[in-house]
Amino acid sequence: MTMNVNQDADVTVVGAGPVGLVLAAELALAGATVQVLERRAEPDQAMKAGAINVPTAEALDRRGLLPAAEQVQRELLSPPDDGRPARFTGHFAGMVLDPDRVDWSDADLAGHTAVDGARLVPQRELEALLAGHVARLGIPVRRGVEVTALEDTGDGVLVGTTAGPVRTGWLVGCDGGRSTVRRLAGIDFPGTDPELTGILAVADVADPSVLGSGWAWSTRGAYRYGPQPGRVVTVEFDGPPADRSAPVTLEEVQTSLRRVSGTDVTLTALRAAATRWTDNARQAAAYRSGRVLLAGDAAHVHSPFGGQGLSLGVGDAMNLGWKLGAVVAGWAPDGLLDTYDAERRPLGAWVLDWTRAQTGVMRGDAKSAALREVVGDLLSTREGATYAVKKISGVTQRVDLPGDHPLIGRFVPDLCLGDGSRLVDHGHGGGFLLLDRTPDGAFARRAAAWDGRVSSVTDDQATPTGVLVRPDGVVAWAADTAAVTGLEAALHRWAGAPLTCGRS
Ligand SMILES: Cc1cc2nc3c(=O)[nH]c(=O)nc-3n(C[C@H](O)[C@H](O)[C@H](O)COP(=O)(O)OP(=O)(O)OC[C@H]3O[C@@H](n4cnc5c(N)ncnc54)[C@H](O)[C@@H]3O)c2cc1C
């Protein structure tokens, strides 16, 4: 699309957090001109996410960023005894899931192991990695620019910023839980009110032996010391903080830790900017209003229990990027952009409930303590641990798409090809991927009319015989025979009208 002379970019992304960076990159790969506006002069150094889920790690893999993410994990973790990355499990309400109890042969888990070495990637390092990706794509990130006003003019958006007005075709708020874009667009944010205050800090602890290690509960809440020396998490059920914006002080962390642990532990210094959070759980009433959209924390907030927020937001960005890119490029099928809200909302609602359930189990009262015992017993069974790990890792995520094949609507599993490459290796530049394992290339011939949007990869392995993968990694069509039934319908539905006449 030719950019309007008065327009600064096809799409303006507000916020250079992880979600804004992923979205900007996906839009650029889809051919849109993009700019990112970020109010901070420098990247945020506060400690937040420590882990990403499988779909997020696979999104990095899909764009050729897996080796860099694996490198981050290798540098931060001491190497395992057997040289293989440890199987990351996560926790539910502080109950750490024992990897030895998980059924790793479960088909969903076994189908997504290629990214095992890139699950423990902290947010700061992930943002640095994504910033490099965005820079290589030539996307301008304008730091120190805060969005303060917007007007949807029907054919674009006029944006007021601290650096002057910006005109853009579309505006996406990736500006975090207290999103200005959401407020200015008048989008409601219903949900449940917070009842706790949590703190994450890394501190110098004078007498760590008084704390023990791992999660511990008391009548006031819960705390965790470790796994790294000095890492402290406290959770207190005495309501939200009076001022969420105030920096977390050493005294605040020590007071909270003393209260919740019942010890007189002494902290002597904070080693990095600490983070304060609540269990405020809300989801935007709509992810789109006209030419304004929301993604990431701007669209949903919840407590960080179980580490879901960043990955949920990256999933939004992967889902939205190619769809909005298709709208900008002019080939989007009818209603494509509306599928963004329809596909992502149920998952967002599930994450909110997953974290609410953990709040219920973590409270300090006797009933919650009793519930914790029951849930703990269930999670220590093979079935319980496997269930929770599948949920936390995201391997069972699916969107409701038409078609009978079990892969349809799921994230494409690891698929190794006869030439030693993997299917994901062929999609670093974005676009649809069609795996064709028919002996005569029948699927690829059918998709030739979408050349430029769909890249065909031929292979001589067995089932699945064919898989059409959307740019976000979701399987749009799959077959276990050489019959082309449904392929063309899926191409029309997701990749729009064909560019040229196909040959059957
Ligand atoms: C303690 C803690 C632990 C967590 N652990 C995990 C975990 O293990 N796994 C996980 O998946 N998630 C985790 N999360 C959640 C994760 O940190 C967030 O979900 C994630 O940061 C959301 O990314 P985002 O890009 O949507 O928003 P943000 O990271 O909040 O980025 C928004 C950006 O927008 C900018 N901005 C805001 N307003 C404006 C404006 N008006 N104009 C211009 N720029 C603006 C901000 O400066 C910021 O850079 C954790 C969170 C916390 C607090």
Side-chain angles (χ1 to χ4, degrees):
M1 176 180 162
T2 316
M3 204 169 67
N4 182 321
V5 279
N6 296 318
Q7 190 169 290
D8 296 284
D10 293 328
V11 184
T12 297
V13 174
V14 186
V19 177
L21 293 173
V22 170
L23 178 64
E26 290 303 296
L27 284 161
L29 288 173
T33 56
V34 196
Q35 65 176 344
V36 182
L37 307 181
E38 166 57 54
R39 72 174 170 203
R40 285 178 179 276
E42 299 292 336
D44 190 1
Q45 296 301 314
M47 278 181 299
K48 290 188 189 167
I52 56 177
N53 71 5
V54 167
T56 294
E58 288 180 343
L60 299 176
D61 193 13
R62 202 163 289 121
R63 297 297 174 251
L65 302 172
L66 183 64
E70 288 173 333
Q71 179 68 17
V72 169
Q73 177 163 321
R74 266 196 304 274
E75 283 170 7
L76 291 175
L77 294 183
S78 42
D81 295 342
D82 61 3
R84 287 177 29 227
R87 307 302 300 259
F88 175 71
T89 54
H91 72 92
F92 183 86
M95 289 172 268
V96 178
L97 298 154
D98 181 351
D100 291 337
R101 292 191 193 274
V102 176
D103 177 8
W104 296 107
S105 68
D106 174 277
D108 291 319
L109 290 169
H112 296 267
T113 59
V115 296
D116 274 357
R119 297 286 310 285
L120 291 167
V121 180
Q123 184 158 344
R124 216 163 43 195
E125 285 74 6
L126 178 66
E127 287 183 23
L129 189 156
L130 292 171
H133 180 48
V134 160
R136 285 189 294 279
L137 289 167
I139 300 166
V141 178
R142 296 176 58 192
R143 288 198 164 273
V145 179
E146 180 169 358
V147 168
T148 53
L150 69 84
E151 183 193 345
D152 185 339
T153 56
D155 60 348
V157 185
L158 274 172
V159 187
T161 83
T162 48
V166 164
R167 175 148 184 94
T168 185
W170 297 83
L171 186 75
V172 189
C174 300
D175 52 342
R178 281 173 270 179
S179 169
T180 301
V181 172
R182 187 184 64 231
R183 178 174 53 77
L184 293 171
I187 297 174
D188 284 346
F189 204 38
T192 49
D193 292 333
E195 59 178 283
L196 63 82
T197 297
I199 292 175
L200 168 63
V202 178
D204 290 329
V205 185
D207 42 1
S209 57
V210 300
L211 293 173
S213 65
W215 282 90
W217 289 265
S218 72
T219 52
R220 294 197 65 97
Y223 75 97
R224 181 189 195 188
Y225 183 67
Q228 297 87 12
R231 188 177 187 277
V232 172
V233 176
T234 66
V235 180
E236 289 191 84
F237 285 86
D238 55 358
D243 179 3
R244 276 209 61 198
S245 314
V248 183
T249 62
L250 176 68
E251 191 190 354
E252 181 182 349
V253 182
Q254 177 174 280
T255 305
S256 175
L257 188 55
R258 284 183 174 182
R259 268 200 305 255
V260 81
S261 68
T263 68
D264 58 357
V265 63
T266 300
L267 309 186
T268 54
L270 290 180
R271 279 193 238 142
T275 313
R276 192 193 292 110
W277 79 88
T278 74
D279 62 333
N280 193 25
R282 298 181 183 279
Q283 187 172 27
Y287 285 15
R288 176 186 172 194
S289 169
R291 285 180 168 260
V292 180
L293 294 116
L294 303 174
D297 277 14
H300 33 69
V301 293
H302 49 83
S303 77
F305 296 146
Q308 295 289 322
L310 184 155
S311 291
L312 181 62
V314 169
D316 293 347
M318 292 300 293
N319 189 292
L320 175 59
W322 68 275
K323 293 175 180 173
L324 186 51
V327 171
V328 168
W331 61 259
D334 280 352
L336 181 68
L337 199 51
D338 294 332
T339 66
Y340 166 57
D341 188 315
E343 291 182 2
R344 295 303 298 174
R345 174 170 300 281
L347 188 62
W350 172 78
V351 169
L352 261 62
D353 277 347
W354 185 253
T355 59
R356 285 184 182 119
Q358 293 179 76
T359 297
V361 171
M362 287 183 103
R363 287 192 194 104
D365 63 277
K367 291 174 185 168
S368 294
L371 181 60
R372 203 157 52 236
E373 287 291 319
V374 175
V375 174
D377 281 350
L378 290 172
L379 292 179
S380 63
T381 64
R382 186 172 166 87
E383 290 76 14
T386 306
Y387 163 84
V389 167
K390 286 171 69 171
K391 289 286 191 187
I392 292 167
S393 65
V395 295
T396 53
Q397 286 180 12
R398 67 183 301 276
V399 289
D400 195 12
L401 302 186
D404 296 332
H405 196 284
L407 284 180
I408 293 176
R410 309 289 293 263
F411 285 102
V412 62
D414 305 332
L415 285 174
C416 294
L417 310 186
D419 65 2
S421 68
R422 302 171 307 139
L423 185 61
V424 284
D425 298 335
H426 299 266
H428 292 179
F432 289 79
L433 277 180
L434 176 65
L435 175 64
D436 181 356
R437 286 167 161 171
T438 58
D440 59 350
F443 298 158
R445 272 205 315 283
R446 198 54 74 99
W450 282 267
D451 202 19
R453 285 179 216 150
V454 180
S455 304
S456 294
V457 180
T458 52
D459 183 41
D460 57 5
Q461 303 293 293
T463 54
T465 320
V467 183
L468 177 66
V469 185
R470 302 191 325 193
D472 55 2
V474 170
V475 175
W477 171 87
D480 289 336
T481 70
V484 293
T485 320
L487 173 58
E488 221 161 305
L491 285 163
H492 276 280
R493 179 187 172 115
W494 298 111
L499 291 146
T500 56
C501 287
R503 286 157 286 142
S504 53

